[in-house]
Amino acid sequence: MFALVAMTYATALGVNRTLWSEPHSVVSVEVVRTRLGRRLVVVLCALAMVASAVIAVGSYLAIGLSFGLAIGWPAGIVMLCLPVLAAQDMLRMVAIAWARATTALVGDLVWLVGLVCVWKISSLSGNLSATVISAGWCAFGALSILVLIYALRAVGQADEAGGSASAMARCVAALGWPAGLEYLAITGALQVAFYIAAAHLGPAGVSGPRGVQVLLGPLTVLFLGVSQAILPLLARQRARADGVRQQGILRLQATFVFFTACMLGVLELLPSGIGRQILGASWPAAHEVLPAYAVYTALQGISLPALMEIRALQGSRMLFRVRLSIAMLTPTAAFVGSRFSATGFAWGLALSQLIDTSIIQRVVRRLRDSEHRLLPPVGALRSTD
């Protein structure tokens, strides 16, 4: 049940970020310090909450009806509060887009410290349970929203004549829907790949790839977080033709690859006893597929900054068409690789990621060369309804 709820939460955040947060970072460049920018945020928070509510209801029906599993209090609390958590994530990304990264950090620290306090107090009182932790997590997530709203209240006081939040929201939606569908297609294909591997190798056979995901997963989260954080900067630099943006992307990609190589070296030298303490009996299988999955992670580190540049250059529709055409590449590679072994499955994922990264880089070069824009400048859409 925990895995299903975690997948629901991750899906809601991924969909809302690609639909609303990332496009907002692009279109808000011209209105970041205006009242129009504030009205736009209110509209997008409402849309994110609605989308999350739809995902929560869909997950509830899938878990309760399709799988026949009982929805306990911990899962029910998280799903009920999913729209609130989505609004918190939206405000966090808004703070970053408005060059208020410290504000985003303070909001997350309030959430973290509150959760630690709930855990400590409930542990000392003997009332520690999954229900209490879930309720505390959601409650302090809501408190974090109030902190973010208070911290951002002074931003955007200037008047902006001729602006329309609904027109800006339509601009965000026009940029976001291809990215949202692309996200669902790519993540769905990856999940299908693991289902295929489990069908061929059995649950024990995929313990290695799943275990190495635990080891290298923090790197992927770091790469994604940093890449999304630089999106507003890339959007502000998109009109520059001096190569500064391209040089920054290359340096970031090289840094991500270096981090992956360092992590691979540490894990390869990790004593077996410590590895078993971390992953238990799946450590030997995870250690076997580690090199292949490290290549997969390094390629993700190359593709994510380039992906954010595509978002900044408003090239999501072009990328969506190309990536959708190869969405079945990952399940196919998984099918072929898992016919041999778990290591073959991992190398199949790495191969599919190599092709995907190559496609992303090709789209970036095409956008850079042609200065292609799929939408007119944001200012052209800021007309009164």
Side-chain angles (χ1 to χ4, degrees):
M1 180 60 67
F2 172 78
L4 293 174
V5 174
M7 184 182 299
T8 301
Y9 175 69
T11 301
L13 257 59
V15 169
N16 282 314
R17 285 185 179 184
T18 51
L19 277 178
W20 318 119
S21 300
E22 292 176 2
H24 167 266
S25 297
V26 176
V27 304
S28 67
V29 173
E30 298 181 18
V31 296
V32 65
R33 301 191 182 279
T34 65
R35 290 177 179 171
L36 172 59
R38 299 177 70 184
R39 294 196 298 270
L40 175 63
V41 170
V42 173
V43 173
L44 294 182
C45 282
L47 291 173
M49 295 180 73
V50 171
S52 298
V54 172
I55 293 173
V57 172
S59 298
Y60 176 84
L61 295 176
I63 295 173
L65 299 180
S66 300
F67 295 105
L69 299 176
I71 305 295
W73 276 107
I77 291 173
V78 173
M79 289 190 178
L80 184 64
C81 297
L82 195 59
V84 177
L85 301 178
Q88 195 278 342
D89 187 71
M90 181 71 206
L91 288 174
R92 177 201 294 127
M93 301 303 292
V94 166
I96 294 173
W98 286 6
R100 294 293 189 275
T102 303
T103 299
L105 177 62
V106 170
D108 285 345
L109 285 177
V110 168
W111 197 356
L112 176 61
V113 172
L115 182 60
V116 171
C117 291
V118 169
W119 173 78
K120 190 65 176 178
I121 293 173
S122 60
S123 179
L124 292 175
S125 63
N127 295 319
L128 183 63
S129 66
T131 301
V132 172
I133 295 298
S134 297
W137 185 54
C138 295
F140 279 96
L143 178 61
S144 175
I145 292 179
L146 299 180
V147 172
L148 289 170
I149 291 175
Y150 179 80
L152 293 173
R153 75 193 189 285
V155 180
Q157 294 291 342
D159 285 315
E160 181 70 20
S164 168
S166 60
M168 293 287 292
R170 288 195 297 270
C171 179
V172 170
L175 284 173
W177 73 260
L181 292 179
E182 174 196 325
Y183 169 82
L184 290 174
I186 297 302
T187 55
L190 183 60
Q191 290 301 319
V192 170
F194 272 95
Y195 292 146
I196 291 174
H200 284 165
L201 303 172
V206 295
S207 63
R210 286 299 190 187
V212 83
Q213 272 189 321
V214 174
L215 297 175
L216 295 178
L219 274 184
T220 304
V221 173
L222 174 65
F223 296 167
L224 180 60
V226 173
S227 298
Q228 289 178 329
I230 67 169
L231 179 56
L233 177 62
L234 294 175
R236 287 191 289 270
Q237 291 181 341
R238 66 188 174 194
R240 300 181 62 170
D242 55 4
V244 172
R245 186 185 68 244
Q246 294 90 323
Q247 294 170 10
I249 291 293
L250 286 174
R251 285 195 294 267
L252 188 59
Q253 290 172 327
T255 301
F256 287 169
V257 173
F258 175 74
F259 278 10
T260 306
C262 290
M263 180 65 81
L264 175 61
V266 170
L267 293 176
E268 285 286 1
L269 297 176
L270 195 69
S272 178
I274 298 179
R276 290 183 181 274
Q277 288 180 355
I278 298 174
L279 296 180
S282 63
W283 165 252
H287 189 266
E288 183 179 350
V289 302
L290 181 58
Y293 211 86
V295 172
Y296 173 79
T297 303
L299 290 169
Q300 283 186 317
I302 295 173
S303 65
L304 285 172
L307 189 62
M308 291 303 109
E309 185 176 5
I310 292 173
R311 301 277 192 260
L313 294 175
Q314 303 182 20
S316 295
R317 291 185 186 179
M318 180 191 300
L319 184 63
F320 167 68
R321 289 193 296 267
V322 177
R323 294 186 89 187
L324 189 64
S325 65
I326 63 160
M328 293 306 296
L329 176 63
T330 300
T332 302
F335 174 80
V336 175
S338 61
R339 300 283 292 183
F340 298 96
S341 64
T343 304
F345 165 69
W347 281 114
L349 290 181
L351 176 61
S352 65
Q353 183 62 46
L354 174 62
I355 297 173
D356 188 49
T357 302
S358 301
I359 290 172
I360 291 174
Q361 290 294 124
R362 182 177 179 181
V363 172
V364 168
R365 286 194 297 269
R366 181 176 176 183
L367 288 169
R368 289 173 179 173
D369 293 341
S370 63
E371 293 298 322
H372 184 62
R373 297 294 183 270
L374 295 176
L375 289 178
V378 173
L381 294 176
R382 285 162 45 201
S383 58
T384 308
D385 286 346

